[in-house]
Amino acid sequence: GYEAPKRKPRCEFFSSFFYAILRNSKHGKNGYCYADVKRWGKKKKLEEMDHIFFPINVSNSHWCMAVVSPKRKLIRYYDSLGGRNPQCLERLEQYMQDEGASRGEKGKGLQGEWRKENIGPRTGVKASEPDRIPRQVDGCSCGVFACCFADLISGGYGEDSWVDELNDPCFGQGDMEDLRAEMLRLFMATP
């Protein structure tokens, strides 16, 4: 079984529109302009969060999840197809630097060097070893995978707990129909 975490992490969730604006600025260098997104984080206590979630839409055809963990100075990009997105990692690092600078003394925790990782099936392991995260094998479940990654991380479940003692993942492609039904149930139950 999967053991529940002792405490739930403090989390902040950004809209998918945030990264689209961050990536597509007409004012900045390489599509990045902090001024275009400055107001998005203004009232959020980002430096106090364990995780900050950014849904990422790739070419209007694929969803991934980026997770910034300020206390660990870590930015991870989760892609169920195993894609890499170094530009996303760089832009989010620059955003955290700029956000920290705009906060003065309170924002120092957001500045400095960040570790950046692309996380996908078989990222950094031999083909004979199990996937690092659950693998998507169709062309239409990426959003469900991205939501599941966010749900597990925000619930305090680290990647090491995404598999059981037999290295079977806690969810996978075969669970998509049930996960979609559960997501619909949750959306409909929310007032």
Side-chain angles (χ1 to χ4, degrees):
Y2 305 98
E3 203 170 303
K6 293 186 180 16
R7 98 172 166 84
K8 294 224 180 204
R10 292 188 67 189
C11 299
E12 189 65 61
F13 296 83
F14 278 70
S15 157
S16 59
F17 295 113
F18 172 85
Y19 188 73
I21 292 168
L22 185 75
R23 172 187 64 213
N24 295 318
S25 175
K26 292 179 177 38
H27 306 108
K29 181 180 172 188
N30 297 325
Y32 175 91
C33 180
Y34 176 66
D36 288 354
V37 295
K38 183 175 183 174
R39 66 180 177 83
W40 287 70
K42 194 170 190 163
K43 294 182 181 178
K44 301 174 189 276
K45 297 180 178 183
L46 300 179
E47 63 281 352
E48 296 177 12
M49 296 298 120
D50 293 303
H51 306 295
I52 306 165
F53 295 83
F54 298 90
I56 308 296
N57 185 272
V58 181
S59 302
N60 289 324
S61 63
H62 183 56
W63 286 99
C64 299
M65 184 62 63
V67 182
V68 174
S69 303
K71 293 178 180 177
R72 295 174 59 198
K73 293 293 261 253
L74 177 63
I75 304 171
R76 287 183 162 167
Y77 178 82
Y78 292 87
D79 186 335
S80 56
L81 291 176
R84 303 174 67 75
N85 195 336
Q87 298 86 3
C88 175
L89 293 168
E90 293 296 327
R91 284 185 182 114
L92 289 176
E93 179 181 32
Q94 186 61 55
Y95 170 71
M96 298 311 290
Q97 300 283 354
D98 291 341
E99 193 65 38
S102 77
R103 293 167 187 249
E105 191 66 32
K106 280 184 12 185
K108 281 192 174 188
L110 301 176
Q111 296 179 296
E113 191 151 338
W114 291 74
R115 280 184 318 150
K116 298 176 285 296
E117 297 180 4
N118 286 285
I119 307 291
R122 291 204 175 94
T123 301
V125 297
K126 297 176 185 166
S128 62
E129 294 179 9
D131 287 340
R132 188 163 176 192
I133 62 172
R135 174 184 296 277
Q136 176 188 345
V137 295
D138 68 4
C140 61
S141 296
C142 52
V144 179
F145 276 87
C147 288
C148 287
F149 299 148
D151 186 50
L152 287 166
I153 296 166
S154 68
Y157 295 94
E159 288 168 37
D160 55 338
S161 66
W162 294 8
V163 295
D164 64 16
E165 56 278 350
L166 300 174
N167 267 340
D168 291 328
C170 59
F171 76 94
Q173 188 68 54
D175 301 309
M176 291 299 111
E177 186 176 326
D178 291 340
L179 289 168
R180 282 187 175 91
E182 178 63 11
M183 290 169 76
L184 177 61
R185 186 190 69 73
L186 291 170
F187 294 146
M188 298 302 287
T190 304

